[in-house]
Amino acid sequence: MRRIGGLLRSRLLGLLPGRADWAAARRSPRRDLLAGLTVAVVALPLALAFGVTSGLGAQAGLVTAVVAGAVAAVFGGSNLQVSGPTGAMTVVLVPVVQRFGPTGVLMVGAMAGLVLIALALARLGRYVRYLPTPVIEGFTAGIAVVIALQQVPAALGVTGAHGEKVWAVAADAVARFVVHPKPAALAVALAVAALMLLGARWRPRLPFSLLGVAAATILAELAPVDLVRIGALPQGLPAPSLGFLDLDAVGMLLPSALAVAALAALESLLSATVADGMTVGQRHDPDRELFGQGLANLASPLFGGIPATAAIARTAVNVRGGAASKLAALTHAVALAAIVLAAAPLVGRIPLAALAGVLLATTVRMVEAGSLWALARATRGDAVVLVLTFAVTVIWDLVTAVAVGLAVAVVLALRAVARSARLEQVPLDAGEHRAEEHALLAEHIVAYRLDGPLFFAAAHTFLLELSEVADVRVVILRMSRVTTMDATGAHVLGDAIRRLRGRGITVLISGITPGHDQVLSTLGIADELRREGLVFPDTPAAIRHARTVALGGADAAAPVTAVTA
């Protein structure tokens, strides 16, 4: 226990920030400050919108952007990452709010934070790169559609729409809108979305989301239109509280907490990877990034915030703004805190339809049609994984979609690897023997070379092919090119050897690598062959013994099994 405690202490100290993390901030503080202010302007409407969409309200979105954004900036493993509420996270949180209420969401966030810290201590951050691209693209596109569907009631000015799934709620909102249409809300949502999309092409650096929200708010104040507003917001951050803790609910909330932690880890590490690719010389530490996100998700619920993760869109704005250190992300959080303190009454007057327009435009930007089309045409397997992950995300939920997408991707990958395994008959080097002897060897000795993996997915085919060998006295199995062998493959090999020996065929084994030899010895597959002297270090030695058997030598009566390299 003492050794384990020392190891955990050492890993924890390695995850904490040091002086070197802030060295870059001293080189160009002005650029970092300007980049942080730019991100804050972009993040404000998004934080409000995602807070509303999550079900906990605009205040929760602002608190998350401030608290989680600051904590993740200080303790995270990327100099460029900007964290806060995201659309993907709201997709996971909406069912939690419906089942367990706001306190359940806070509890889930804290539990997810602990899971992320555990992942960081276990050094599992590096393994996110093994997630297949079709799964990532599929659930990203699915999330975009789900977020867009979530905005339908607000965009149509409909309240009280209900349904078990987000698409059912959207359908109910449309039906209510047809009966009692409110064109003002729809016009505002579409106008804000169009301004963002068209403005981004005209002047990419201008914060058209903020401009659109401001214009919609002014219109709502001056014109006699019926638009639902955000409502009153407190001027300042709430006092920290542990009132949401409910240890009796841990068991019920654990699946949701694991889903939130998985999403936070995935989205944060993907965002950090994207940020690294947009710069020269910046590289994130995946385990420290998980640690920072874990602390952020522990801190956010204390102030009533929702679970957070790094945001690819805000991180990209940060990078394009010239950020080079953590100071930029920290400035973004401080600027949002100042807005909460100074402008809460103004923020409360923003129409919900305007925020719906912001998110509708955001979903359009999330989907890269060219990338999806390229993946769909790459291979049939990639297309299946992509479409399946997308469909399950929209119809059921994100966690199920990732699980299904991964499962199908793994099955297809195993199928491809299994197909790469070959059992190939190869010619024997007859040397200078007489023609009669050559004919005898060709008739009674067969050598097979095993190429590729011999594991559970490929073993059955191997057994069928090898068991069909006929009209031979000696079979040589060359194993030097076997790349992988598991217990199933070893047992199938032993079964094939027993079947051949039962038919009076001598089996010789050659070229077993040390790693595969250990598997065979542990399972007792090669013990009998070793006792009979039928395992050879190389193929020439096995061939010499096979010739003795085929020519009717002293060993001819003994059943011989040869596996050669």
Side-chain angles (χ1 to χ4, degrees), residues 45-46 48-50 52-53 147-157 185-186 188-193 196 213 230 350-363:
L46 292 175
L48 295 170
F50 289 137
V52 172
T53 302
I147 295 173
L149 292 173
Q150 288 175 341
Q151 308 317 307
V152 170
L156 298 179
L186 180 59
V188 167
L190 294 178
V192 172
M196 287 180 60
V213 170
I230 289 178
I350 295 175
L352 292 180
L355 297 182
V358 170
L359 292 186
L360 287 173
T362 302
T363 59

PDB file of all heavy atoms in Angstrom, residues 45-46 48-50 52-53 147-157 185-186 188-193 196 213 230 350-363:
ATOM      1  N   PRO A  45     -22.554  34.550 -25.851  1.00  0.00           N
ATOM      2  CA  PRO A  45     -23.847  34.018 -26.307  1.00  0.00           C
ATOM      3  C   PRO A  45     -23.896  32.498 -26.286  1.00  0.00           C
ATOM      4  O   PRO A  45     -24.956  31.914 -26.026  1.00  0.00           O
ATOM      5  CB  PRO A  45     -23.979  34.566 -27.739  1.00  0.00           C
ATOM      6  CG  PRO A  45     -22.593  34.915 -28.152  1.00  0.00           C
ATOM      7  CD  PRO A  45     -21.880  35.323 -26.908  1.00  0.00           C
ATOM      8  N   LEU A  46     -22.763  31.839 -26.548  1.00  0.00           N
ATOM      9  CA  LEU A  46     -22.753  30.377 -26.517  1.00  0.00           C
ATOM     10  C   LEU A  46     -22.973  29.860 -25.104  1.00  0.00           C
ATOM     11  O   LEU A  46     -23.712  28.889 -24.891  1.00  0.00           O
ATOM     12  CB  LEU A  46     -21.424  29.856 -27.071  1.00  0.00           C
ATOM     13  CG  LEU A  46     -21.185  30.072 -28.563  1.00  0.00           C
ATOM     14  CD1 LEU A  46     -19.783  29.625 -28.947  1.00  0.00           C
ATOM     15  CD2 LEU A  46     -22.218  29.308 -29.382  1.00  0.00           C
ATOM     16  N   LEU A  48     -24.558  31.348 -22.655  1.00  0.00           N
ATOM     17  CA  LEU A  48     -25.967  31.569 -22.323  1.00  0.00           C
ATOM     18  C   LEU A  48     -26.858  30.521 -22.990  1.00  0.00           C
ATOM     19  O   LEU A  48     -27.749  29.938 -22.359  1.00  0.00           O
ATOM     20  CB  LEU A  48     -26.384  32.972 -22.754  1.00  0.00           C
ATOM     21  CG  LEU A  48     -25.703  34.143 -22.039  1.00  0.00           C
ATOM     22  CD1 LEU A  48     -26.049  35.450 -22.743  1.00  0.00           C
ATOM     23  CD2 LEU A  48     -26.111  34.196 -20.584  1.00  0.00           C
ATOM     24  N   ALA A  49     -26.597  30.280 -24.278  1.00  0.00           N
ATOM     25  CA  ALA A  49     -27.449  29.358 -25.044  1.00  0.00           C
ATOM     26  C   ALA A  49     -27.319  27.935 -24.525  1.00  0.00           C
ATOM     27  O   ALA A  49     -28.320  27.228 -24.350  1.00  0.00           O
ATOM     28  CB  ALA A  49     -27.065  29.424 -26.521  1.00  0.00           C
ATOM     29  N   PHE A  50     -26.098  27.498 -24.269  1.00  0.00           N
ATOM     30  CA  PHE A  50     -25.920  26.124 -23.795  1.00  0.00           C
ATOM     31  C   PHE A  50     -26.472  25.954 -22.385  1.00  0.00           C
ATOM     32  O   PHE A  50     -26.949  24.866 -22.032  1.00  0.00           O
ATOM     33  CB  PHE A  50     -24.444  25.738 -23.834  1.00  0.00           C
ATOM     34  CG  PHE A  50     -23.915  25.551 -25.227  1.00  0.00           C
ATOM     35  CD1 PHE A  50     -22.684  26.054 -25.599  1.00  0.00           C
ATOM     36  CD2 PHE A  50     -24.643  24.839 -26.169  1.00  0.00           C
ATOM     37  CE1 PHE A  50     -22.191  25.879 -26.880  1.00  0.00           C
ATOM     38  CE2 PHE A  50     -24.168  24.653 -27.458  1.00  0.00           C
ATOM     39  CZ  PHE A  50     -22.938  25.179 -27.813  1.00  0.00           C
ATOM     40  N   VAL A  52     -29.143  27.506 -21.194  1.00  0.00           N
ATOM     41  CA  VAL A  52     -30.591  27.376 -21.377  1.00  0.00           C
ATOM     42  C   VAL A  52     -30.941  25.991 -21.914  1.00  0.00           C
ATOM     43  O   VAL A  52     -31.866  25.326 -21.432  1.00  0.00           O
ATOM     44  CB  VAL A  52     -31.114  28.471 -22.322  1.00  0.00           C
ATOM     45  CG1 VAL A  52     -32.582  28.226 -22.677  1.00  0.00           C
ATOM     46  CG2 VAL A  52     -30.941  29.842 -21.685  1.00  0.00           C
ATOM     47  N   THR A  53     -30.186  25.535 -22.914  1.00  0.00           N
ATOM     48  CA  THR A  53     -30.474  24.247 -23.541  1.00  0.00           C
ATOM     49  C   THR A  53     -30.288  23.091 -22.566  1.00  0.00           C
ATOM     50  O   THR A  53     -31.008  22.089 -22.635  1.00  0.00           O
ATOM     51  CB  THR A  53     -29.552  24.037 -24.760  1.00  0.00           C
ATOM     52  OG1 THR A  53     -29.747  25.124 -25.669  1.00  0.00           O
ATOM     53  CG2 THR A  53     -29.869  22.741 -25.473  1.00  0.00           C
ATOM     54  N   ILE A 147     -28.551  19.067 -31.431  1.00  0.00           N
ATOM     55  CA  ILE A 147     -28.572  20.444 -30.935  1.00  0.00           C
ATOM     56  C   ILE A 147     -29.559  21.290 -31.750  1.00  0.00           C
ATOM     57  O   ILE A 147     -30.313  22.104 -31.192  1.00  0.00           O
ATOM     58  CB  ILE A 147     -27.169  21.058 -30.996  1.00  0.00           C
ATOM     59  CG1 ILE A 147     -26.230  20.321 -30.023  1.00  0.00           C
ATOM     60  CG2 ILE A 147     -27.207  22.534 -30.637  1.00  0.00           C
ATOM     61  CD1 ILE A 147     -24.783  20.755 -30.150  1.00  0.00           C
ATOM     62  N   ALA A 148     -29.554  21.095 -33.058  1.00  0.00           N
ATOM     63  CA  ALA A 148     -30.496  21.846 -33.904  1.00  0.00           C
ATOM     64  C   ALA A 148     -31.942  21.510 -33.540  1.00  0.00           C
ATOM     65  O   ALA A 148     -32.797  22.405 -33.451  1.00  0.00           O
ATOM     66  CB  ALA A 148     -30.228  21.535 -35.372  1.00  0.00           C
ATOM     67  N   LEU A 149     -32.222  20.233 -33.303  1.00  0.00           N
ATOM     68  CA  LEU A 149     -33.575  19.837 -32.905  1.00  0.00           C
ATOM     69  C   LEU A 149     -33.951  20.434 -31.552  1.00  0.00           C
ATOM     70  O   LEU A 149     -35.115  20.805 -31.328  1.00  0.00           O
ATOM     71  CB  LEU A 149     -33.681  18.308 -32.861  1.00  0.00           C
ATOM     72  CG  LEU A 149     -33.595  17.582 -34.209  1.00  0.00           C
ATOM     73  CD1 LEU A 149     -33.547  16.077 -34.004  1.00  0.00           C
ATOM     74  CD2 LEU A 149     -34.786  17.958 -35.093  1.00  0.00           C
ATOM     75  N   GLN A 150     -32.978  20.546 -30.654  1.00  0.00           N
ATOM     76  CA  GLN A 150     -33.254  21.134 -29.341  1.00  0.00           C
ATOM     77  C   GLN A 150     -33.675  22.601 -29.447  1.00  0.00           C
ATOM     78  O   GLN A 150     -34.389  23.109 -28.575  1.00  0.00           O
ATOM     79  CB  GLN A 150     -32.018  21.025 -28.450  1.00  0.00           C
ATOM     80  CG  GLN A 150     -31.723  19.620 -27.956  1.00  0.00           C
ATOM     81  CD  GLN A 150     -30.426  19.558 -27.177  1.00  0.00           C
ATOM     82  OE1 GLN A 150     -29.577  20.438 -27.276  1.00  0.00           O
ATOM     83  NE2 GLN A 150     -30.251  18.498 -26.407  1.00  0.00           N
ATOM     84  N   GLN A 151     -33.248  23.287 -30.500  1.00  0.00           N
ATOM     85  CA  GLN A 151     -33.547  24.710 -30.646  1.00  0.00           C
ATOM     86  C   GLN A 151     -34.893  24.975 -31.302  1.00  0.00           C
ATOM     87  O   GLN A 151     -35.343  26.130 -31.350  1.00  0.00           O
ATOM     88  CB  GLN A 151     -32.444  25.401 -31.474  1.00  0.00           C
ATOM     89  CG  GLN A 151     -31.045  25.166 -30.980  1.00  0.00           C
ATOM     90  CD  GLN A 151     -30.922  25.272 -29.488  1.00  0.00           C
ATOM     91  OE1 GLN A 151     -31.326  26.265 -28.877  1.00  0.00           O
ATOM     92  NE2 GLN A 151     -30.361  24.227 -28.865  1.00  0.00           N
ATOM     93  N   VAL A 152     -35.540  23.939 -31.811  1.00  0.00           N
ATOM     94  CA  VAL A 152     -36.789  24.133 -32.547  1.00  0.00           C
ATOM     95  C   VAL A 152     -37.862  24.821 -31.695  1.00  0.00           C
ATOM     96  O   VAL A 152     -38.492  25.794 -32.146  1.00  0.00           O
ATOM     97  CB  VAL A 152     -37.287  22.794 -33.123  1.00  0.00           C
ATOM     98  CG1 VAL A 152     -38.701  22.940 -33.684  1.00  0.00           C
ATOM     99  CG2 VAL A 152     -36.330  22.303 -34.210  1.00  0.00           C
ATOM    100  N   PRO A 153     -38.110  24.376 -30.442  1.00  0.00           N
ATOM    101  CA  PRO A 153     -39.160  25.073 -29.662  1.00  0.00           C
ATOM    102  C   PRO A 153     -38.866  26.552 -29.456  1.00  0.00           C
ATOM    103  O   PRO A 153     -39.755  27.400 -29.640  1.00  0.00           O
ATOM    104  CB  PRO A 153     -39.154  24.306 -28.329  1.00  0.00           C
ATOM    105  CG  PRO A 153     -38.642  22.946 -28.675  1.00  0.00           C
ATOM    106  CD  PRO A 153     -37.606  23.187 -29.729  1.00  0.00           C
ATOM    107  N   ALA A 154     -37.622  26.901 -29.058  1.00  0.00           N
ATOM    108  CA  ALA A 154     -37.289  28.315 -28.831  1.00  0.00           C
ATOM    109  C   ALA A 154     -37.342  29.109 -30.126  1.00  0.00           C
ATOM    110  O   ALA A 154     -37.790  30.268 -30.141  1.00  0.00           O
ATOM    111  CB  ALA A 154     -35.904  28.423 -28.203  1.00  0.00           C
ATOM    112  N   ALA A 155     -36.890  28.509 -31.227  1.00  0.00           N
ATOM    113  CA  ALA A 155     -36.902  29.212 -32.505  1.00  0.00           C
ATOM    114  C   ALA A 155     -38.323  29.474 -32.991  1.00  0.00           C
ATOM    115  O   ALA A 155     -38.575  30.460 -33.696  1.00  0.00           O
ATOM    116  CB  ALA A 155     -36.137  28.408 -33.548  1.00  0.00           C
ATOM    117  N   LEU A 156     -39.252  28.614 -32.608  1.00  0.00           N
ATOM    118  CA  LEU A 156     -40.644  28.789 -33.022  1.00  0.00           C
ATOM    119  C   LEU A 156     -41.459  29.555 -31.980  1.00  0.00           C
ATOM    120  O   LEU A 156     -42.651  29.810 -32.193  1.00  0.00           O
ATOM    121  CB  LEU A 156     -41.289  27.424 -33.271  1.00  0.00           C
ATOM    122  CG  LEU A 156     -40.668  26.575 -34.399  1.00  0.00           C
ATOM    123  CD1 LEU A 156     -41.382  25.234 -34.510  1.00  0.00           C
ATOM    124  CD2 LEU A 156     -40.716  27.315 -35.721  1.00  0.00           C
ATOM    125  N   GLY A 157     -40.829  29.903 -30.858  1.00  0.00           N
ATOM    126  CA  GLY A 157     -41.554  30.624 -29.811  1.00  0.00           C
ATOM    127  C   GLY A 157     -42.568  29.768 -29.091  1.00  0.00           C
ATOM    128  O   GLY A 157     -43.557  30.277 -28.544  1.00  0.00           O
ATOM    129  N   ALA A 185     -40.623  35.114 -33.385  1.00  0.00           N
ATOM    130  CA  ALA A 185     -39.536  34.289 -32.844  1.00  0.00           C
ATOM    131  C   ALA A 185     -38.779  33.585 -33.961  1.00  0.00           C
ATOM    132  O   ALA A 185     -37.543  33.547 -33.965  1.00  0.00           O
ATOM    133  CB  ALA A 185     -40.097  33.276 -31.851  1.00  0.00           C
ATOM    134  N   LEU A 186     -39.527  33.024 -34.918  1.00  0.00           N
ATOM    135  CA  LEU A 186     -38.883  32.328 -36.029  1.00  0.00           C
ATOM    136  C   LEU A 186     -38.037  33.288 -36.855  1.00  0.00           C
ATOM    137  O   LEU A 186     -36.909  32.957 -37.259  1.00  0.00           O
ATOM    138  CB  LEU A 186     -39.944  31.660 -36.908  1.00  0.00           C
ATOM    139  CG  LEU A 186     -39.431  30.882 -38.125  1.00  0.00           C
ATOM    140  CD1 LEU A 186     -38.491  29.769 -37.695  1.00  0.00           C
ATOM    141  CD2 LEU A 186     -40.600  30.320 -38.931  1.00  0.00           C
ATOM    142  N   VAL A 188     -36.566  36.068 -35.857  1.00  0.00           N
ATOM    143  CA  VAL A 188     -35.367  36.447 -35.101  1.00  0.00           C
ATOM    144  C   VAL A 188     -34.327  35.327 -35.146  1.00  0.00           C
ATOM    145  O   VAL A 188     -33.132  35.573 -35.373  1.00  0.00           O
ATOM    146  CB  VAL A 188     -35.742  36.784 -33.642  1.00  0.00           C
ATOM    147  CG1 VAL A 188     -34.494  36.873 -32.767  1.00  0.00           C
ATOM    148  CG2 VAL A 188     -36.508  38.094 -33.584  1.00  0.00           C
ATOM    149  N   ALA A 189     -34.751  34.096 -34.918  1.00  0.00           N
ATOM    150  CA  ALA A 189     -33.816  32.966 -34.923  1.00  0.00           C
ATOM    151  C   ALA A 189     -33.138  32.817 -36.276  1.00  0.00           C
ATOM    152  O   ALA A 189     -31.910  32.651 -36.359  1.00  0.00           O
ATOM    153  CB  ALA A 189     -34.550  31.670 -34.546  1.00  0.00           C
ATOM    154  N   LEU A 190     -33.916  32.870 -37.347  1.00  0.00           N
ATOM    155  CA  LEU A 190     -33.343  32.715 -38.682  1.00  0.00           C
ATOM    156  C   LEU A 190     -32.441  33.895 -39.044  1.00  0.00           C
ATOM    157  O   LEU A 190     -31.405  33.715 -39.697  1.00  0.00           O
ATOM    158  CB  LEU A 190     -34.465  32.575 -39.714  1.00  0.00           C
ATOM    159  CG  LEU A 190     -35.316  31.296 -39.607  1.00  0.00           C
ATOM    160  CD1 LEU A 190     -36.419  31.297 -40.664  1.00  0.00           C
ATOM    161  CD2 LEU A 190     -34.451  30.046 -39.742  1.00  0.00           C
ATOM    162  N   ALA A 191     -32.822  35.105 -38.627  1.00  0.00           N
ATOM    163  CA  ALA A 191     -32.011  36.281 -38.945  1.00  0.00           C
ATOM    164  C   ALA A 191     -30.654  36.213 -38.243  1.00  0.00           C
ATOM    165  O   ALA A 191     -29.609  36.502 -38.848  1.00  0.00           O
ATOM    166  CB  ALA A 191     -32.755  37.547 -38.535  1.00  0.00           C
ATOM    167  N   VAL A 192     -30.627  35.809 -36.959  1.00  0.00           N
ATOM    168  CA  VAL A 192     -29.361  35.694 -36.230  1.00  0.00           C
ATOM    169  C   VAL A 192     -28.484  34.612 -36.849  1.00  0.00           C
ATOM    170  O   VAL A 192     -27.268  34.796 -37.037  1.00  0.00           O
ATOM    171  CB  VAL A 192     -29.622  35.409 -34.738  1.00  0.00           C
ATOM    172  CG1 VAL A 192     -28.316  35.088 -34.018  1.00  0.00           C
ATOM    173  CG2 VAL A 192     -30.310  36.591 -34.079  1.00  0.00           C
ATOM    174  N   ALA A 193     -29.092  33.472 -37.175  1.00  0.00           N
ATOM    175  CA  ALA A 193     -28.326  32.381 -37.784  1.00  0.00           C
ATOM    176  C   ALA A 193     -27.753  32.812 -39.132  1.00  0.00           C
ATOM    177  O   ALA A 193     -26.582  32.542 -39.450  1.00  0.00           O
ATOM    178  CB  ALA A 193     -29.210  31.151 -37.944  1.00  0.00           C
ATOM    179  N   MET A 196     -24.801  35.218 -38.738  1.00  0.00           N
ATOM    180  CA  MET A 196     -23.573  34.535 -38.328  1.00  0.00           C
ATOM    181  C   MET A 196     -22.918  33.797 -39.494  1.00  0.00           C
ATOM    182  O   MET A 196     -21.699  33.880 -39.700  1.00  0.00           O
ATOM    183  CB  MET A 196     -23.866  33.552 -37.201  1.00  0.00           C
ATOM    184  CG  MET A 196     -24.144  34.195 -35.861  1.00  0.00           C
ATOM    185  SD  MET A 196     -24.471  32.963 -34.569  1.00  0.00           S
ATOM    186  CE  MET A 196     -22.932  32.029 -34.595  1.00  0.00           C
ATOM    187  N   VAL A 213     -27.110  38.849 -31.484  1.00  0.00           N
ATOM    188  CA  VAL A 213     -27.860  38.804 -30.228  1.00  0.00           C
ATOM    189  C   VAL A 213     -28.178  40.221 -29.750  1.00  0.00           C
ATOM    190  O   VAL A 213     -29.299  40.504 -29.284  1.00  0.00           O
ATOM    191  CB  VAL A 213     -27.061  38.032 -29.163  1.00  0.00           C
ATOM    192  CG1 VAL A 213     -27.704  38.190 -27.789  1.00  0.00           C
ATOM    193  CG2 VAL A 213     -26.988  36.547 -29.531  1.00  0.00           C
ATOM    194  N   ILE A 230     -34.580  35.628 -21.518  1.00  0.00           N
ATOM    195  CA  ILE A 230     -33.830  34.773 -20.593  1.00  0.00           C
ATOM    196  C   ILE A 230     -34.370  34.895 -19.184  1.00  0.00           C
ATOM    197  O   ILE A 230     -34.554  33.916 -18.462  1.00  0.00           O
ATOM    198  CB  ILE A 230     -32.327  35.143 -20.620  1.00  0.00           C
ATOM    199  CG1 ILE A 230     -31.703  34.691 -21.940  1.00  0.00           C
ATOM    200  CG2 ILE A 230     -31.596  34.515 -19.446  1.00  0.00           C
ATOM    201  CD1 ILE A 230     -30.236  35.061 -22.069  1.00  0.00           C
ATOM    202  N   ILE A 350     -32.152  39.316 -23.127  1.00  0.00           N
ATOM    203  CA  ILE A 350     -31.907  38.686 -24.432  1.00  0.00           C
ATOM    204  C   ILE A 350     -33.025  37.701 -24.765  1.00  0.00           C
ATOM    205  O   ILE A 350     -33.400  36.865 -23.937  1.00  0.00           O
ATOM    206  CB  ILE A 350     -30.555  37.946 -24.420  1.00  0.00           C
ATOM    207  CG1 ILE A 350     -29.402  38.949 -24.239  1.00  0.00           C
ATOM    208  CG2 ILE A 350     -30.364  37.133 -25.696  1.00  0.00           C
ATOM    209  CD1 ILE A 350     -28.042  38.299 -24.096  1.00  0.00           C
ATOM    210  N   PRO A 351     -33.595  37.743 -25.971  1.00  0.00           N
ATOM    211  CA  PRO A 351     -34.634  36.782 -26.365  1.00  0.00           C
ATOM    212  C   PRO A 351     -34.056  35.377 -26.537  1.00  0.00           C
ATOM    213  O   PRO A 351     -32.955  35.205 -27.067  1.00  0.00           O
ATOM    214  CB  PRO A 351     -35.151  37.325 -27.698  1.00  0.00           C
ATOM    215  CG  PRO A 351     -34.662  38.735 -27.772  1.00  0.00           C
ATOM    216  CD  PRO A 351     -33.387  38.784 -27.000  1.00  0.00           C
ATOM    217  N   LEU A 352     -34.805  34.393 -26.104  1.00  0.00           N
ATOM    218  CA  LEU A 352     -34.364  33.000 -26.275  1.00  0.00           C
ATOM    219  C   LEU A 352     -34.263  32.621 -27.750  1.00  0.00           C
ATOM    220  O   LEU A 352     -33.433  31.792 -28.140  1.00  0.00           O
ATOM    221  CB  LEU A 352     -35.334  32.056 -25.559  1.00  0.00           C
ATOM    222  CG  LEU A 352     -35.357  32.121 -24.027  1.00  0.00           C
ATOM    223  CD1 LEU A 352     -36.367  31.127 -23.479  1.00  0.00           C
ATOM    224  CD2 LEU A 352     -33.976  31.837 -23.460  1.00  0.00           C
ATOM    225  N   ALA A 353     -35.090  33.235 -28.585  1.00  0.00           N
ATOM    226  CA  ALA A 353     -35.040  32.937 -30.015  1.00  0.00           C
ATOM    227  C   ALA A 353     -33.700  33.344 -30.616  1.00  0.00           C
ATOM    228  O   ALA A 353     -33.187  32.683 -31.526  1.00  0.00           O
ATOM    229  CB  ALA A 353     -36.181  33.656 -30.741  1.00  0.00           C
ATOM    230  N   ALA A 354     -33.108  34.436 -30.100  1.00  0.00           N
ATOM    231  CA  ALA A 354     -31.801  34.863 -30.596  1.00  0.00           C
ATOM    232  C   ALA A 354     -30.725  33.837 -30.256  1.00  0.00           C
ATOM    233  O   ALA A 354     -29.861  33.527 -31.082  1.00  0.00           O
ATOM    234  CB  ALA A 354     -31.438  36.223 -30.012  1.00  0.00           C
ATOM    235  N   LEU A 355     -30.780  33.291 -29.037  1.00  0.00           N
ATOM    236  CA  LEU A 355     -29.823  32.253 -28.648  1.00  0.00           C
ATOM    237  C   LEU A 355     -30.041  30.984 -29.479  1.00  0.00           C
ATOM    238  O   LEU A 355     -29.075  30.283 -29.823  1.00  0.00           O
ATOM    239  CB  LEU A 355     -29.961  31.938 -27.158  1.00  0.00           C
ATOM    240  CG  LEU A 355     -29.652  33.099 -26.201  1.00  0.00           C
ATOM    241  CD1 LEU A 355     -29.771  32.633 -24.757  1.00  0.00           C
ATOM    242  CD2 LEU A 355     -28.263  33.666 -26.466  1.00  0.00           C
ATOM    243  N   ALA A 356     -31.297  30.686 -29.799  1.00  0.00           N
ATOM    244  CA  ALA A 356     -31.574  29.539 -30.668  1.00  0.00           C
ATOM    245  C   ALA A 356     -30.935  29.734 -32.033  1.00  0.00           C
ATOM    246  O   ALA A 356     -30.375  28.796 -32.619  1.00  0.00           O
ATOM    247  CB  ALA A 356     -33.083  29.334 -30.805  1.00  0.00           C
ATOM    248  N   GLY A 357     -30.988  30.967 -32.543  1.00  0.00           N
ATOM    249  CA  GLY A 357     -30.341  31.247 -33.825  1.00  0.00           C
ATOM    250  C   GLY A 357     -28.838  31.061 -33.759  1.00  0.00           C
ATOM    251  O   GLY A 357     -28.219  30.551 -34.698  1.00  0.00           O
ATOM    252  N   VAL A 358     -28.216  31.471 -32.641  1.00  0.00           N
ATOM    253  CA  VAL A 358     -26.777  31.280 -32.467  1.00  0.00           C
ATOM    254  C   VAL A 358     -26.418  29.795 -32.550  1.00  0.00           C
ATOM    255  O   VAL A 358     -25.464  29.399 -33.238  1.00  0.00           O
ATOM    256  CB  VAL A 358     -26.313  31.862 -31.115  1.00  0.00           C
ATOM    257  CG1 VAL A 358     -24.872  31.459 -30.811  1.00  0.00           C
ATOM    258  CG2 VAL A 358     -26.445  33.382 -31.123  1.00  0.00           C
ATOM    259  N   LEU A 359     -27.184  28.962 -31.868  1.00  0.00           N
ATOM    260  CA  LEU A 359     -26.873  27.534 -31.864  1.00  0.00           C
ATOM    261  C   LEU A 359     -27.210  26.866 -33.201  1.00  0.00           C
ATOM    262  O   LEU A 359     -26.532  25.904 -33.593  1.00  0.00           O
ATOM    263  CB  LEU A 359     -27.624  26.838 -30.731  1.00  0.00           C
ATOM    264  CG  LEU A 359     -27.154  27.228 -29.324  1.00  0.00           C
ATOM    265  CD1 LEU A 359     -27.865  26.385 -28.272  1.00  0.00           C
ATOM    266  CD2 LEU A 359     -25.651  27.053 -29.184  1.00  0.00           C
ATOM    267  N   LEU A 360     -28.226  27.348 -33.886  1.00  0.00           N
ATOM    268  CA  LEU A 360     -28.519  26.789 -35.212  1.00  0.00           C
ATOM    269  C   LEU A 360     -27.351  27.040 -36.162  1.00  0.00           C
ATOM    270  O   LEU A 360     -26.956  26.146 -36.932  1.00  0.00           O
ATOM    271  CB  LEU A 360     -29.803  27.402 -35.774  1.00  0.00           C
ATOM    272  CG  LEU A 360     -31.111  26.943 -35.126  1.00  0.00           C
ATOM    273  CD1 LEU A 360     -32.288  27.761 -35.654  1.00  0.00           C
ATOM    274  CD2 LEU A 360     -31.346  25.457 -35.379  1.00  0.00           C
ATOM    275  N   ALA A 361     -26.790  28.243 -36.109  1.00  0.00           N
ATOM    276  CA  ALA A 361     -25.616  28.527 -36.940  1.00  0.00           C
ATOM    277  C   ALA A 361     -24.411  27.704 -36.496  1.00  0.00           C
ATOM    278  O   ALA A 361     -23.629  27.225 -37.324  1.00  0.00           O
ATOM    279  CB  ALA A 361     -25.289  30.020 -36.871  1.00  0.00           C
ATOM    280  N   THR A 362     -24.280  27.491 -35.203  1.00  0.00           N
ATOM    281  CA  THR A 362     -23.166  26.696 -34.687  1.00  0.00           C
ATOM    282  C   THR A 362     -23.237  25.256 -35.184  1.00  0.00           C
ATOM    283  O   THR A 362     -22.217  24.650 -35.529  1.00  0.00           O
ATOM    284  CB  THR A 362     -23.176  26.714 -33.145  1.00  0.00           C
ATOM    285  OG1 THR A 362     -23.086  28.066 -32.693  1.00  0.00           O
ATOM    286  CG2 THR A 362     -22.003  25.916 -32.585  1.00  0.00           C
ATOM    287  N   THR A 363     -24.436  24.699 -35.245  1.00  0.00           N
ATOM    288  CA  THR A 363     -24.571  23.314 -35.710  1.00  0.00           C
ATOM    289  C   THR A 363     -24.182  23.194 -37.183  1.00  0.00           C
ATOM    290  O   THR A 363     -23.611  22.177 -37.597  1.00  0.00           O
ATOM    291  CB  THR A 363     -26.010  22.818 -35.517  1.00  0.00           C
ATOM    292  OG1 THR A 363     -26.912  23.655 -36.249  1.00  0.00           O
ATOM    293  CG2 THR A 363     -26.391  22.833 -34.059  1.00  0.00           C
TER     294      THR A 363
END
